[in-house]
Amino acid sequence: MGANGLKTTQDLITGLVHHPYEPPAGFGAVMPGVHKASTVTFPNTAAMRSRSWKSKQGYTYGLHGTPTTFTLEERIAALEGGRFCALAPSGLGAIVMTNIALLKQGDELLLPSNVYGPSREMARTLLTDWGITHRFYDPLAAASLAAAIGERTKLVWLEAPGSVTMEFPDLRGLIAAARARGVLTALDNTWGAGLAFRAFELADGLGVDLVMQALTKYPSGGADVLMGSVVCNDEALHHRILQAHMRLGIGVAANDAELVLRSLPTIALRYRAQDAAARTLAAFLAQQPAIKRLLHPAFDGSPGHAFWRESCGAAAGLFSVLLDPGLPIERVDAFIDALRLFRIGYSWGGPVSLAVPYDLRLIRDDAAGALQGPLVRFSVGLEAVGDLQADLAQALRQLD
Ligand SMILES: *Cc1c(COP(=O)(O)O)cnc(C)c1O
């Protein structure tokens, strides 16, 4: 016995540490196991010297991947139709990792005018501080991108559609314009989720170079995990992303990877159900006198609808409405506060429906061009659509 009354023979403690457990290779479970590690061990020093963190043929350290994260990477790559995937701890982390991997001092980055807000803020703050400039282009006009590309342009971000104002871009025209000048394209594919269109193969031989996704949204589907991915087809490009991943010291926890792996088999069912419910509710709202304009790419009259038709049949369960520009903001807030099933919160793709008010003057440099008035964005969850419609109908009385 030791001084504290614990039995401390070396055999017991050593035996607890050096347990004989091996992951069960012949265990025919439907779902993959969850493997956790900071340290991974090597059978000998030669193995330690020969393995590289760049290769997924072997394991080197928990931060560089485990069987659980490698499995998720393979599945996300398959979902996007690409070959290589790197995971990041959030969707925004995946955007940052891509920017840091591909841009250096003196380079210029091009962003769509309706780009995801935090991506724009990264360009405005950190990238600017590091001597990386940025410019905006109109995602509905490929000529606007062609005109913006200069000698220093190294990366063009695309987003289909913009996640607040919902303009669906001229994807083919934009990719062709970037490719004509040899500039890399990266798509934020969170809305498409790998299901609405094939980002690497939009038309004969025409596709983006990198596809980023906030796995936080549809792949998770639970409103309880943050994660992001960057997929590409070119191995050298993947290694540039991995290099940034490695140098930033970012990793994804196995339990979070497990949650996304568990949700992936239902992603297509959820996407389809949320698409159908969102179209029902969008059509209902479009008929209400208080709603001045519907912004949903699958609806005629929504910006970029023709481009959506060219590439997609499906849509995410996400749309926005514009209200009367003269409406006091208190009335808009009263409408949102009156909603009972729609909760107030960011993000989308989860089980609970959400509503968020946006002030276009604060989120766009071009004051949203043709779009005017208070905007409310709806993310449709998995509730019965009749209940959601009744919820909207009762809250709309605040706008009478
Ligand atoms: C949510 C979102 C992100 C960021 O994802 P997080 O995991 O929340 O950081 C990026 N782009 C789009 C379009 C998103 O909707």
Side-chain angles (χ1 to χ4, degrees), residues 89-93 95 116 118 159 161-163 188-191 212-217 225-228 318 347-348 377:
S90 68
L92 183 56
I95 293 171
Y116 177 67
E159 200 171 315
S163 60
D188 182 333
N189 200 24
T190 305
W191 179 94
M212 166 267 156
Q213 195 180 147
L215 305 181
T216 307
K217 311 289 165 60
V225 182
L226 288 156
M227 206 179 294
L318 192 74
S347 198
W348 35 286
R377 188 187 72 181

Side-chain angles (χ1 to χ4, degrees), residues 6-359:
L6 292 175
K7 202 173 162 215
T8 55
T9 66
Q10 193 189 23
D11 278 355
L12 173 66
I13 298 301
T14 307
L16 284 175
V17 173
H18 291 262
H19 51 73
Y21 177 80
E22 292 268 351
F27 177 51
V30 172
M31 294 304 284
V34 181
H35 299 285
K36 304 174 73 157
S38 49
T39 297
V40 300
T41 58
F42 302 84
N44 50 49
T45 48
M48 182 175 238
R49 292 211 178 84
S50 68
R51 282 189 213 167
S52 159
W53 55 268
K54 282 188 204 163
S55 160
K56 310 241 155 141
Q57 303 309 311
Y59 304 98
T60 49
Y61 189 58
L63 197 55
H64 314 147
T66 64
T68 309
T69 59
F70 283 2
T71 302
L72 181 56
E73 285 174 355
E74 272 172 29
R75 292 196 185 172
I76 297 297
L79 175 68
E80 301 280 22
R83 291 174 63 206
F84 306 100
C85 173
L87 298 174
S90 68
L92 183 56
I95 293 171
V96 169
M97 180 168 78
T98 304
N99 286 338
I100 287 180
L102 303 179
L103 298 169
K104 60 179 183 341
Q105 188 177 25
D107 289 345
E108 185 156 83
L109 167 71
L110 299 182
L111 299 170
S113 54
N114 56 358
V115 70
Y116 177 67
S119 180
R120 183 178 76 145
E121 289 310 302
M122 194 216 175
R124 248 177 30 81
T125 56
L126 292 181
L127 295 185
T128 300
D129 290 348
W130 298 338
I132 298 162
T133 58
H134 64 279
R135 295 167 74 181
F136 296 98
Y137 66 88
D138 177 355
L140 296 171
S144 143
L145 175 63
I149 295 175
E151 286 303 306
R152 297 189 297 110
T153 308
K154 291 289 150 42
L155 179 64
V156 174
W157 273 100
L158 310 167
E159 200 171 315
S163 60
V164 175
T165 42
M166 307 303 294
E167 302 93 337
F168 202 92
D170 177 6
L171 277 179
R172 296 179 194 196
L174 296 172
I175 296 166
R179 196 170 275 186
R181 300 288 296 275
V183 178
L184 288 173
T185 49
L187 170 74
D188 182 333
N189 200 24
T190 305
W191 179 94
L195 298 167
F197 57 91
R198 307 310 288 157
F200 288 112
E201 188 61 61
L202 276 165
D204 317 317
L206 192 69
V208 296
D209 297 301
L210 300 123
V211 178
M212 166 267 156
Q213 195 180 147
L215 305 181
T216 307
K217 311 289 165 60
Y218 282 102
S220 151
D224 54 1
V225 182
L226 288 156
M227 206 179 294
S229 56
V230 181
V231 174
C232 62
N233 273 320
D234 182 78
E235 193 163 16
L237 190 54
H238 175 61
H239 281 162
R240 289 174 73 189
I241 300 290
L242 271 191
Q243 170 87 4
H245 182 273
M246 169 75 169
R247 299 305 161 212
L248 288 167
I250 54 179
V252 162
N255 291 116
D256 286 349
E258 175 199 18
L259 289 176
V260 179
L261 282 166
R262 194 171 199 275
S263 295
L264 274 180
T266 58
I267 188 174
L269 289 174
R270 290 183 280 109
Y271 196 88
R272 235 178 277 138
Q274 290 178 325
D275 178 6
R279 290 196 213 198
T280 301
L281 298 174
F284 167 74
L285 283 176
Q287 290 165 359
Q288 307 304 315
I291 307 300
K292 295 302 167 213
R293 191 156 179 203
L294 170 66
L295 303 172
H296 184 313
F299 282 73
D300 204 4
S302 197
H305 171 65
F307 297 129
W308 172 83
R309 263 209 327 251
E310 194 176 78
S311 306
C312 305
L318 192 74
F319 65 90
S320 297
V321 295
L322 291 170
L323 304 171
D324 189 333
L327 201 64
I329 196 70
E330 297 77 29
R331 299 276 303 286
V332 181
D333 290 353
F335 163 64
I336 294 176
D337 289 340
L339 291 164
R340 291 174 196 142
L341 294 177
F342 281 89
R343 309 295 294 273
I344 303 166
Y346 295 108
S347 198
W348 35 286
V352 173
S353 292
L354 300 169
V356 190
Y358 284 95
D359 184 338

